[in-house]
Amino acid sequence: MTKTVQAADDDLVEYGYRRILITITAVLCALLEIVDTTIVNVALTDMRGSLGATLTDVAWVITAYAIANVIVIPMTSWLSQQFGRRNYFVASIILFTVCSFLCGNATNIWELVAFRFVQGMGGGALLVTAQTIITESYPIAKRGMAQAIYGMGVIVGPTLGPPLGGYLVDHYSWPYIFYINIPLGIIATILAISFVRSPKYGEKLKANQVDWWGIVLLASFIGSLQFVLEHGQQDDWFNDPLITGLSVVTIAGLILFIWRELTYKHPIVNLSVLKDGNLRIGTVMCFILGFGLYGSTLIIPIYTQSILGWTATDAGLLLIPGSITTAFMMPIIGNLIQKGVPQTYMVGVGFLVFFFFCFLMYGNMTPDTGVEHLYWPLILRGIGLGLLFVPITTLSLSTLKGKHIGEGAAFTGMMRQLGGSFGIAIITTFITRWSQEHRVNLVSHLDPTNYQVQQRILGLQKSFMSKGFTSNEALDKAYQVIDYSVMKQSTVLAYMDIFMWLGIMFLFCIPIILLVKKGKNKINPADAMH
């Protein structure tokens, strides 16, 4: 049996120009899906205006895509077996491309949200399947490099989104952030039909053997969880009946899903893989990595735009040197893993570097920080990500074999996504709460009888009067200016607190890493990256 599986593995190895074209196809598809996750963030304001939607409604454009992604990712390896990998991959690209066109033509916000959901269904599949295709097209000895190429796409993708989106929105209009996918999707479809091949793994299931209940339970508990996380803060968490109801659905759905998958003969997600100790620790690490990766990607653009007053394009460009650093690190890390440098050490150093990044951001944040103070911390973040991304996923799978590697990889991928959603939900909640606390503290120091406070108000009042306002109007304006600067200060203090706690969290992860058992079979980094 092992020999046939081995032979099947070797069957898919490609050489020469075919391998180059398959690599380009897979990276292109992974980039399409990842850039599309972040490109929308910059265009939300324009969408609100042209579709006449509220901020809460427009947030659904991001939520719908994320929910569809998280539901599809755990099911991809099963769907590839059911329909054949190439058919499934090509169908996903076509679905994604057609929905991009429909998103650009949407006439109201809910049409756009519906198309984004279906687009996410196609997109989630692109990421994981592209990974597997790259992995299996390279001979075992070269898979570390294959991984590094794929890893570059995965890390650089999220940072390409905002500047590209900013450029398209500034120079054209928001539908173009979707239309840009169409020519790329058509090229990817043609390449995939021509060059991608399907492996012969296992038999198809008949319709009555399919784990339909598993699919329903998975969709209901993950969908509800993602909704609760995205909308908890703005709907006031458990004071809102919908959030409370969906939290109950999440917990009940999770328990029933676990029971169903452990007892059913053909489960849609194989949970028995989690008996492996390294995979269990790895999924926790992926969760924390997602938390830090997506959380810090959320704070930095908001801080530079709302506090420092940068444009969307500038805020996006700031993140690019850091991602280039990560992309540069990837092949080096791939090489080190192949030479047998212990991954636990790399991950430990990675968490330490991330701690220093958070510490520097904590020290450098003010209401008027210059770009030179943010540049080096973000380069440091790039180095930390490089040291964490491949080693954590490789480490998680180091004691798994054969088909279980793909199943374990789906868990690490899903946990990274969920970590990001939890990170964003928790961070936005605390930003709101801590800003209010800091505001109360700062206002208590503004004593109207204090000489300096009086001088500041008087100075502002005079400058407004010189612009032609009456004495009373100028006084009102002066109070507004002081109120605005207090607001700004309290928000910056809240951001600083977030970075401090993120840093502490990463520091505490270092001892957990030391619990990891040494993997017996040397895994190649390629299988690791989903």
Side-chain angles (χ1 to χ4, degrees):
M1 175 63 196
T2 332
K3 280 186 179 169
T4 52
V5 170
Q6 191 59 46
D9 273 1
D10 292 344
D11 272 353
L12 293 166
V13 174
E14 301 281 2
Y15 295 96
Y17 79 97
R18 281 184 67 93
R19 184 160 75 197
I20 294 170
L21 285 171
I22 286 182
T23 309
I24 291 171
T25 313
V27 171
L28 179 65
C29 292
L31 270 175
L32 270 180
E33 134 70 12
I34 292 173
V35 169
D36 233 64
T37 316
T38 52
I39 197 169
V40 176
N41 301 10
V42 188
L44 291 182
T45 325
D46 291 80
M47 287 179 190
R48 272 177 71 187
S50 70
L51 298 173
T54 64
L55 186 60
T56 318
D57 290 346
V58 94
W60 270 101
V61 176
I62 297 175
T63 311
Y65 190 78
I67 289 177
N69 258 207
V70 175
I71 292 172
V72 160
I73 287 176
M75 304 199 297
T76 40
S77 80
W78 175 81
L79 286 165
S80 291
Q81 278 175 34
Q82 249 340 64
F83 301 109
R85 182 184 300 154
R86 184 177 65 187
N87 304 347
Y88 178 49
F89 191 53
V90 171
S92 297
I93 304 174
I94 294 172
L95 183 66
F96 184 85
T97 313
V98 170
C99 286
S100 297
F101 174 72
L102 295 172
C103 285
N105 281 346
T107 50
N108 66 40
I109 186 72
W110 298 115
E111 246 181 66
L112 178 59
V113 168
F115 293 140
R116 273 290 277 181
F117 184 82
V118 185
Q119 189 192 30
M121 285 287 190
L126 294 184
L127 202 54
V128 185
T129 324
Q131 169 90 45
T132 325
I133 290 171
I134 283 196
T135 303
E136 295 187 352
S137 304
Y138 280 73
I140 299 225
K142 291 203 175 162
R143 282 187 183 170
M145 269 311 138
Q147 229 25 68
I149 296 165
Y150 177 77
M152 285 183 206
V154 172
I155 292 282
V156 176
T159 36
L160 278 181
L164 181 63
Y167 179 81
L168 290 172
V169 169
D170 291 345
H171 293 81
Y172 301 98
S173 61
W174 68 262
Y176 281 88
I177 62 176
F178 296 115
Y179 293 153
I180 195 172
N181 294 334
I182 298 170
L184 297 174
I186 292 169
I187 295 168
T189 309
I190 295 166
L191 287 171
I193 292 172
S194 316
F195 296 105
V196 173
R197 294 187 297 171
S198 298
K200 310 274 183 289
Y201 283 142
E203 291 302 306
K204 282 190 188 180
L205 296 179
K206 295 188 186 71
N208 61 353
Q209 292 178 308
V210 174
D211 183 8
W212 296 112
W213 277 110
I215 296 176
V216 170
L217 291 167
L218 176 74
S220 61
F221 103 78
I222 290 218
S224 307
L225 174 63
Q226 190 78 23
F227 179 88
V228 169
L229 293 173
E230 300 248 354
H231 288 258
Q233 170 56 29
Q234 65 201 34
D235 297 344
D236 201 16
W237 291 108
F238 299 113
N239 295 334
D240 181 74
L242 179 62
I243 296 286
T244 314
L246 287 177
S247 305
V248 174
V249 172
T250 302
I251 294 163
L254 175 62
I255 294 166
L256 288 169
F257 175 71
I258 292 172
W259 168 79
R260 171 76 181 180
E261 299 307 281
L262 293 175
T263 53
Y264 192 66
K265 190 178 172 198
H266 307 287
I268 191 161
V269 178
N270 180 8
L271 295 178
S272 60
V273 194
L274 288 171
K275 288 178 183 160
D276 182 271
N278 279 5
L279 180 63
R280 281 203 301 272
I281 290 178
T283 44
V284 174
M285 288 294 154
C286 277
F287 184 83
I288 291 164
L289 177 64
F291 199 105
L293 169 68
Y294 292 104
S296 52
T297 314
L298 168 86
I299 297 181
I300 295 161
I302 294 180
Y303 164 68
T304 49
Q305 282 173 275
S306 64
I307 305 288
L308 305 180
W310 294 12
T311 64
T313 317
D314 287 345
L317 289 172
L318 176 71
L319 293 170
I320 286 183
S323 3
I324 292 173
T325 312
T326 311
F328 181 71
M329 293 282 292
M330 285 284 182
I332 302 172
I333 301 290
N335 245 332
L336 288 174
I337 292 177
Q338 282 176 344
K339 284 183 181 154
V341 175
Q343 284 124 300
T344 35
Y345 296 165
M346 286 194 217
V347 176
V349 173
F351 278 132
L352 196 61
V353 170
F354 231 103
F355 165 73
F356 284 124
F357 154 69
C358 293
F359 184 73
L360 280 174
M361 288 301 288
Y362 176 76
N364 286 349
M365 281 192 141
T366 66
D368 43 22
T369 303
V371 66
E372 67 280 3
H373 297 298
L374 298 174
Y375 182 79
W376 288 109
L378 288 170
I379 294 281
L380 209 59
R381 174 175 175 267
I383 294 171
L385 273 181
L387 283 164
L388 292 172
F389 199 78
V390 185
I392 283 181
T393 30
T394 319
L395 208 113
S396 320
L397 312 179
S398 58
T399 44
L400 296 175
K401 292 186 183 67
K403 192 174 127 190
H404 292 321
I405 292 179
E407 293 167 339
F411 275 107
T412 53
M414 183 176 85
M415 288 306 273
R416 197 169 58 243
Q417 291 280 64
L418 282 178
S421 304
F422 268 93
I424 289 170
I426 291 168
I427 286 170
T428 43
T429 305
F430 278 112
I431 284 177
T432 313
R433 301 203 173 168
W434 286 341
S435 302
Q436 288 163 353
E437 279 177 32
H438 286 304
R439 183 186 159 78
V440 171
N441 292 341
L442 289 172
V443 169
S444 67
H445 292 293
L446 282 176
D447 180 3
T449 57
N450 182 318
Y451 176 70
Q452 283 172 320
V453 176
Q454 287 174 348
Q455 286 303 101
R456 177 80 204 270
I457 292 173
L458 199 63
L460 286 167
Q461 186 182 13
K462 279 181 180 159
S463 82
F464 280 117
M465 282 166 75
S466 69
K467 288 174 186 154
F469 289 98
T470 65
S471 172
N472 283 346
E473 283 174 346
L475 188 61
D476 282 347
K477 291 270 183 199
Y479 283 133
Q480 279 170 11
V481 169
I482 295 224
D483 182 54
Y484 177 68
S485 67
V486 167
M487 202 59 231
K488 216 171 172 181
Q489 288 282 3
S490 56
T491 314
V492 171
L493 287 168
Y495 290 153
M496 286 166 64
D497 291 345
I498 298 278
F499 274 112
M500 180 179 77
W501 286 108
L502 273 179
I504 291 170
M505 179 181 80
F506 282 116
L507 209 54
F508 275 114
C509 291
I510 298 176
I512 304 178
I513 278 292
L514 304 174
L515 299 173
V516 177
K517 283 208 275 308
K518 279 290 271 208
K520 295 288 178 292
N521 54 331
K522 244 181 128 180
I523 181 151
N524 68 72
D527 296 345
M529 308 273 308
H530 265 281

